[in-house]
Amino acid sequence: MAGGLGTRLDADREKPLVRVGGRPMVDRVIDALRVSGVERVYAATSPHAPATREHVSVPAIETPGEGYVADLEAVLTDDRIDRPVLTVVADLPLLAPDAVDDVLAAHETGSLTVAVPAGLKERLGVSADTTFDRTGREVAPAGLNVVGDGPDRTLVVEDPRLAVNVNRPGDLTVARNRA
């Protein structure tokens, strides 16, 4: 998912193209996916990210750019996509192949929401825009999910690489320091 506006980041370029560790975040995510057990990789781009669409080295799926849910729906209705499908946001620059493989191994049926403890995000000094209660524990979505048909379950992981989602300037500083 690489088509958001990225207004909270206040960057001088499209958010997926912001550099972490000397490379655009979207490239770091694509590389992690390619090395993982994922079979095919696509970039979901929107009219808000034309340079990202031109930049990516994988086929792109054009989305309306009307928000995450609308863009995800466009991806899920694309003829090239079969469910279950792994989705990941382009602003998860510390993503590693083994973390992706762990999520794939944990998926059984239906959909799988991957979350990290809100306390982990707090300890790392990164933002948590959305949190929810999971069996008495406050957690935040990680930006890595499996969308399938059937029941939804949540996998909570204590992985700092999945906790650093770059939405604000402070998140970018943390990502750059950890890359």
Side-chain angles (χ1 to χ4, degrees), residues 129-168:
D129 292 330
T130 303
T131 62
F132 61 95
D133 181 82
R134 175 73 178 130
T135 61
R137 188 176 191 193
E138 185 179 11
V139 298
L144 178 65
N145 303 289
V146 178
V147 179
D149 296 316
D152 182 24
R153 69 182 186 92
T154 301
L155 173 67
V156 179
V157 295
E158 288 267 354
D159 190 335
R161 300 170 301 179
L162 298 181
V164 180
N165 182 290
V166 178
N167 287 312
R168 293 185 168 73

Side-chain angles (χ1 to χ4, degrees), residues 77-151:
T77 58
D78 187 282
D79 291 340
R80 296 172 284 181
I81 303 300
D82 297 318
R83 288 189 196 194
V85 61
L86 180 83
T87 64
V88 61
V89 292
D91 55 7
L92 203 60
L94 304 181
L95 183 67
D98 65 304
V100 173
D101 290 339
D102 289 347
V103 168
L104 294 174
H107 177 257
E108 297 164 356
T109 61
S111 294
L112 181 65
T113 299
V114 180
V116 296
L120 174 60
K121 290 180 83 67
E122 185 177 327
R123 286 189 304 278
L124 293 170
V126 295
S127 63
D129 292 330
T130 303
T131 62
F132 61 95
D133 181 82
R134 175 73 178 130
T135 61
R137 188 176 191 193
E138 185 179 11
V139 298
L144 178 65
N145 303 289
V146 178
V147 179
D149 296 316

Side-chain angles (χ1 to χ4, degrees), residues 37-89:
V38 171
E39 293 175 17
R40 291 173 286 155
V41 179
Y42 295 92
T45 61
S46 79
H48 303 300
T52 299
R53 183 181 181 93
E54 291 300 316
H55 173 83
V56 294
S57 59
V58 296
I61 297 172
E62 186 69 20
T63 66
E66 298 170 355
Y68 183 83
V69 173
D71 289 354
L72 179 59
E73 184 60 33
V75 168
L76 296 175
T77 58
D78 187 282
D79 291 340
R80 296 172 284 181
I81 303 300
D82 297 318
R83 288 189 196 194
V85 61
L86 180 83
T87 64
V88 61
V89 292

